[in-house]
Amino acid sequence: MARPRGLAVAILAAALAALAALAPSFVAPVPLRGSRRSLDLERKQMKTATARASFVTGGSVLLPLAASVLTGVLGLETVRQVNEGAALKELIQKYTEIQVVDAPNGMPGSPPVDGVTWYVKDPSVYRRVLVQGDLGLGESYMEGLWETNDLEGFMFEMIKLEAVKKDLGLLGLPLLLGAALGAASWLLFPSNLSAEGAKKNIASHYDISMKLYEQMLGPTMQYSGAYYHAPGMTLEQAQLAKMRLVAEKLDLKPGMKVLELGCGFGALADLIATEYGVEITGVTLSEDQHAYAKKHFNNPLVDIRLQDYRSMTGQKFDRIYSVGIFEHIGRNCYETYFEKCHELLKDDGIMLIHSIGFCRDGEWNHGGWMNTYIFPGAELPTMSHFTQQFQERWHLEDWQSFGVSYAKTLRAWKSRLNNWQGLEEFEERFRRMWEYYLDCCAASFQARRTKLWQLVYTKYPSKRQDDCHHIRQPKKAEPATATRWNREIT
């Protein structure tokens, strides 16, 4: 009778675990009020909740269900480890510098200054992290179920666990399943193939509040990584350095026709047109950014259009550049992007791509927290994406990486939020979500998990008579600084 009784207990455990795991999947997200588009966000979140309950497009039902069946098979001890977080705590203790504290009352009034402490208010957090991965971790933070004395430091340490998830054994299967479902849902139902779908993805992030962006970004209105190439630089100095770095790599000459894909708020086009005397045509899908550029940067040399880049035809440009749009293109459209740029660029022209990159190859999980709440439809390229067959029509002139500069940029943006003074209309849940986004990204760039790349291309075959020497032009030595090399060469 022992074996049937054990089986019955396992089945009962599976049923109980299924109820416990599925419960949060059917709770509708709290709408993020505080922006003029709160009603649209609320409707979108309701649709998102419905979509995530689908067995095809999301993992929030299949994932907990699979985890529940698994825990039932493994028995009551496994259920205990999932619900009490024993396996997760052990992994954190082994591979990170995080101190885990079960703290029903939250973080103390005077948390430690040194080290990273994770204060878990609700034990359900452990199960959500083990079952849903970064989605469960981020959502539980937005809901106020855990705190830490150093959010960026905490995320930096948690990144270390990505490479050691195998230590979870069978308990790690839900995480693998969730990633597979997130990738499969995008392969089946990509939202970036049409201009309408791409515009909707862009609007969900960039068209939420000009007040928020103006306070966070500062006078340069640059929503991309700055170039902190010297000690003590301010955000404004580093952003101007980035803008001029882009211009210098393009080797601009007065009178040139230049195309910018994804114009941001228009400041970069205005600076380049003003300082280099070129004519710039820009295209963007963000209505707010388009309106801001028209209002604040009404430069006669700049024409910014509300248009999908794929619809550009009939004109050839001396230079093409994009800053921060390639992350939104999608891996399934990289060939389309390069083919369109090849069509629009003159034979002797130069193209520059400024993009975030990712450290590891593999399918992109669209079911993660960042895609769910911050950048729907976004995907980061890896180095291998710039070696695909369609790259044979291009000659790579230069590739620069300066991702730690982006970590510094994100910290500066968070600092400019000034604890949300002047932005009181944003509710607590939105504030926690936004700060979590900034700190997650800062930690990822600091860990070199994500990169910041600038790539410069010319067409192949090309009519250019020389390489782009201007990018890596050696500086001439001053006469007073004679060296051993000078003496030996002379």
Side-chain angles (χ1 to χ4, degrees), residues 34 102 367:
D102 291 317

Side-chain angles (χ1 to χ4, degrees), residues 262-306:
C263 305
F265 296 98
L268 179 56
D270 182 71
L271 179 143
I272 290 178
T274 301
E275 294 189 354
Y276 295 86
V278 299
E279 297 180 23
I280 297 184
T281 300
V283 293
T284 179
L285 289 176
S286 167
E287 294 187 8
D288 281 4
Q289 290 184 337
H290 177 258
Y292 187 93
K294 289 290 187 182
K295 179 179 179 181
H296 295 273
F297 302 108
N298 190 19
N299 191 321
L301 292 174
V302 178
D303 175 22
I304 294 183
R305 308 169 183 175
L306 192 62

Side-chain angles (χ1 to χ4, degrees), residues 276-344:
Y276 295 86
V278 299
E279 297 180 23
I280 297 184
T281 300
V283 293
T284 179
L285 289 176
S286 167
E287 294 187 8
D288 281 4
Q289 290 184 337
H290 177 258
Y292 187 93
K294 289 290 187 182
K295 179 179 179 181
H296 295 273
F297 302 108
N298 190 19
N299 191 321
L301 292 174
V302 178
D303 175 22
I304 294 183
R305 308 169 183 175
L306 192 62
Q307 181 178 350
D308 191 291
Y309 78 95
R310 290 169 289 194
S311 66
M312 290 289 295
T313 56
Q315 187 176 356
K316 291 283 188 177
F317 294 90
D318 299 287
R319 303 288 187 264
I320 297 176
Y321 70 92
S322 66
V323 177
I325 186 181
F326 201 75
E327 302 90 327
H328 298 284
I329 295 298
R331 299 175 177 187
N332 56 344
C333 291
Y334 288 167
E335 184 172 6
T336 300
Y337 179 92
F338 276 94
E339 288 299 316
K340 176 55 69 172
C341 289
H342 199 277
E343 171 194 331
L344 298 173

Side-chain angles (χ1 to χ4, degrees), residues 39-50:
L39 182 59
D40 290 339
L41 284 172
E42 183 174 354
R43 289 172 178 168
K44 176 187 174 184
Q45 289 171 337
M46 291 175 65
K47 292 179 181 178
T48 301
T50 303

Side-chain angles (χ1 to χ4, degrees), residues 220-297:
T220 62
M221 289 302 288
Q222 288 294 288
Y223 196 16
S224 58
Y227 188 42
Y228 286 87
H229 63 86
M233 296 181 75
T234 65
L235 174 64
E236 288 74 22
Q237 290 170 334
Q239 288 291 17
L240 285 170
K242 183 274 302 292
M243 296 162 81
R244 293 190 173 110
L245 181 69
V246 170
E248 289 298 316
K249 288 182 178 181
L250 289 170
D251 195 25
L252 299 167
K253 302 292 187 296
M256 282 185 169
K257 309 289 186 183
V258 180
L259 174 63
E260 180 178 4
L261 304 178
C263 305
F265 296 98
L268 179 56
D270 182 71
L271 179 143
I272 290 178
T274 301
E275 294 189 354
Y276 295 86
V278 299
E279 297 180 23
I280 297 184
T281 300
V283 293
T284 179
L285 289 176
S286 167
E287 294 187 8
D288 281 4
Q289 290 184 337
H290 177 258
Y292 187 93
K294 289 290 187 182
K295 179 179 179 181
H296 295 273
F297 302 108

Side-chain angles (χ1 to χ4, degrees), residues 36 163 211 447 453 483 485:
R36 65 182 176 79
K211 186 178 180 182
W453 291 329
T483 65
W485 296 103

Side-chain angles (χ1 to χ4, degrees), residues 342-404:
H342 199 277
E343 171 194 331
L344 298 173
L345 186 65
K346 292 182 179 179
D347 288 345
D348 61 348
I350 298 175
M351 178 179 74
L352 179 143
I353 296 174
H354 175 110
S355 174
I356 300 171
F358 196 55
C359 67
R360 294 193 311 273
D361 286 333
E363 295 298 327
W364 189 260
N365 175 17
H366 281 265
W369 184 87
M370 199 67 71
N371 279 93
T372 301
Y373 287 94
I374 306 298
F375 295 114
E379 295 181 333
L380 299 185
T382 66
M383 295 185 75
S384 64
H385 288 111
F386 297 102
T387 61
Q388 296 182 81
Q389 188 172 3
F390 55 80
Q391 296 283 346
E392 293 176 358
R393 301 188 69 189
W394 293 92
H395 174 62
L396 180 61
E397 297 274 359
D398 186 71
W399 190 331
Q400 183 181 4
S401 180
F402 50 102
V404 175

Side-chain angles (χ1 to χ4, degrees), residues 54-58 182-193 201 332 366 377:
S54 166
F55 279 86
V56 178
T57 60
S185 66
W186 183 257
L187 292 174
L188 292 171
F189 303 106
S191 63
N192 64 333
L193 296 181
N201 288 338
N332 56 344
H366 281 265

